Amino acid sequence: MKAITVIGPNHMEMLDIEKPVITEPDQVLVRIRAAGICGSDVHVAHGSNPYAVYPRVIGHEAAGEVEAAGTAVKDIKVGDGVVFEPITYCGKCYACRSGHHNVCRDLKVLGCIVDGTFREYAVVKRSQVYQYDKRKMSYVQAALCEPYTIGSQANWRGNVRPGDVVLVHGAGPIGLIVADVAKSRGAVVIVSEPNENRLAMAAGFGADHMVNPMKEDLDALIMEVTKGEGVNVVFEAAGIPALLEHAVKILSPAGRLVAMTFGQTPIAIDFKAVNAKELTILGTRHQMEKFPETLEQLPNRLDRVDRLITHVFPAEKYEEAFAVLADKGSGAGKVVLTFD
């Protein structure tokens, strides 16, 4: 079978490898049909993901159909549509006991620490797939379920409530999804993005105010919208560490900062402002039990899903797909690979 594999940093190939088989009673064999390219896949490919182990079949945003099931699997059948839960966890450490298995000390992540979904077939535990109705979504559409769980997790971490004013830095796929989920929770949404193509997409994802910070005064807009109080929640989804430093200045008292990026070096935060306003700084990683609610809601968001998916390539054209994603002038949103 075909498998897109990162041999080492900046060395990616499509290999012909052996089709996996079920070896445990609680496993399922899934024929993968569509898989989205995530920024983290790019980081693994370039060697900038600190958790990656090589060589590695990358990918974790995927949808497919069950081809076979182990003897202990009774609640799923051949032909069922499924999406992938990318993480496994120990269930015993403090994080798991506290309900935060997404930061388990022994976390295993598809496409990073273990082989992922950029391949024709995968064998995983039954607990790593969620069924969905194939009549309601195509495989390509369903592949966006996992990114939407990330947006739900970030909004849950930020405790976004009706009437909150939130700022989303970055209108890439994750930033747009965060904005969409925040709007669905009743927030007023500001999106800041210097790429005009991406910024133009934000209106369709719940943005009430859109600003290009290279041309407009973002701080002035925030103070105008919030009547001088500051935004209640900041999501840093642009991958620019300096924006985390800036966030404490524009947050309202009792505001929340959700840090969706990390830097290669420590980031300076003014804790005088943090304490004076009693701000909350929150990390967010993967997602925690967000698949059921996301699968329930996603069929009602297909207009946005379809706008977000700008390019679909057969898996054999993965090099072109990655090049389009890297080209800031391509207008790429979510790029999806198909395995037919």
Side-chain angles (χ1 to χ4, degrees):
M1 69 172 188
K2 299 186 288 284
I4 299 169
T5 307
V6 177
I7 309 302
N10 300 307
H11 181 191
M12 182 164 48
E13 296 182 18
M14 175 173 276
L15 302 180
D16 187 9
I17 65 174
E18 188 174 349
K19 178 182 175 180
V21 296
I22 291 173
T23 58
E24 301 291 338
D26 63 344
Q27 292 178 332
V28 292
L29 171 66
V30 180
R31 173 72 163 96
I32 296 170
R33 296 294 188 180
I37 303 177
C38 176
S40 63
D41 297 317
V42 176
H43 296 154
V44 174
H46 291 171
S48 58
N49 186 311
Y51 306 106
V53 180
Y54 301 98
R56 184 61 58 226
V57 177
I58 55 177
H60 61 273
E61 306 173 357
E65 61 185 333
V66 175
E67 185 165 291
T71 57
V73 179
K74 306 298 184 183
D75 61 342
I76 200 169
K77 63 183 185 299
V78 172
D80 280 350
V82 293
V83 294
F84 284 78
E85 161 68 86
I87 61 176
T88 60
Y89 45 92
C90 74
K92 300 175 183 178
C93 69
Y94 177 77
C96 287
R97 297 197 312 271
S98 302
H100 290 265
H101 56 249
N102 54 313
V103 288
C104 169
R105 66 183 179 188
D106 293 321
L107 194 72
K108 301 292 189 299
V109 185
L110 289 177
C112 181
I113 299 173
V114 296
D115 282 341
T117 57
F118 283 1
R119 49 181 167 164
E120 292 180 276
Y121 295 91
V123 169
V124 295
K125 289 186 176 294
R126 166 65 184 89
S127 60
Q128 281 188 268
V129 293
Y130 288 85
Q131 293 166 271
Y132 76 94
D133 190 341
K134 291 191 294 184
R135 297 169 299 180
K136 295 183 177 180
M137 292 187 290
S138 69
Y139 294 120
V140 170
Q141 290 170 329
L144 263 70
C145 181
E146 194 277 340
Y148 260 93
T149 68
I150 302 303
S152 293
Q153 178 77 9
N155 274 269
W156 175 75
R157 289 290 286 157
N159 191 24
V160 174
R161 301 182 290 262
D164 281 350
V165 180
V166 307
L167 168 65
V168 180
H169 281 298
I174 292 299
L176 292 173
I177 289 170
V178 168
D180 188 19
V181 175
K183 188 65 176 179
S184 74
R185 292 170 72 112
V188 175
V189 179
I190 303 170
V191 173
S192 174
E193 168 62 60
N195 184 307
E196 293 288 352
N197 291 330
R198 289 185 165 184
L199 188 62
M201 295 180 68
F205 288 80
D208 298 285
H209 306 275
M210 299 175 293
V211 58
N212 182 333
M214 306 303 292
K215 298 179 179 179
E216 304 166 74
D217 190 332
L218 174 61
D219 289 16
L221 174 66
I222 288 171
M223 293 307 159
E224 179 184 347
V225 172
T226 65
K227 297 179 172 58
E229 188 172 52
V231 292
N232 307 121
V233 187
V234 173
F235 293 98
E236 202 302 282
I240 302 174
L243 295 176
L244 297 173
E245 301 177 40
H246 178 251
V248 300
K249 301 176 182 178
I250 57 173
L251 276 165
S252 69
R256 285 90 68 198
L257 166 60
V258 182
M260 303 186 71
T261 188
F262 54 86
Q264 299 300 318
T265 57
I267 299 165
I269 298 292
D270 179 6
F271 274 88
K272 179 180 178 181
V274 171
N275 290 331
K277 299 192 226 181
E278 202 171 55
L279 303 178
T280 302
I281 300 175
L282 300 138
T284 184
R285 189 182 182 194
H286 303 297
Q287 53 75 42
M288 185 175 66
E289 300 177 356
K290 296 296 185 288
F291 272 90
E293 66 184 64
T294 301
L295 279 172
E296 181 180 350
Q297 298 165 1
L298 200 61
N300 299 320
R301 285 190 159 102
L302 294 185
D303 59 333
R304 281 146 286 179
V305 168
D306 289 342
R307 285 197 297 271
L308 197 58
I309 300 169
T310 57
H311 296 78
V312 179
F313 292 90
E316 292 81 0
K317 294 187 176 181
Y318 70 94
E319 292 177 306
E320 183 179 350
F322 273 82
V324 166
L325 186 61
D327 181 0
K328 295 186 182 299
S330 69
K334 176 57 68 175
V335 178
V336 179
L337 301 172
T338 56
F339 294 80
D340 295 322

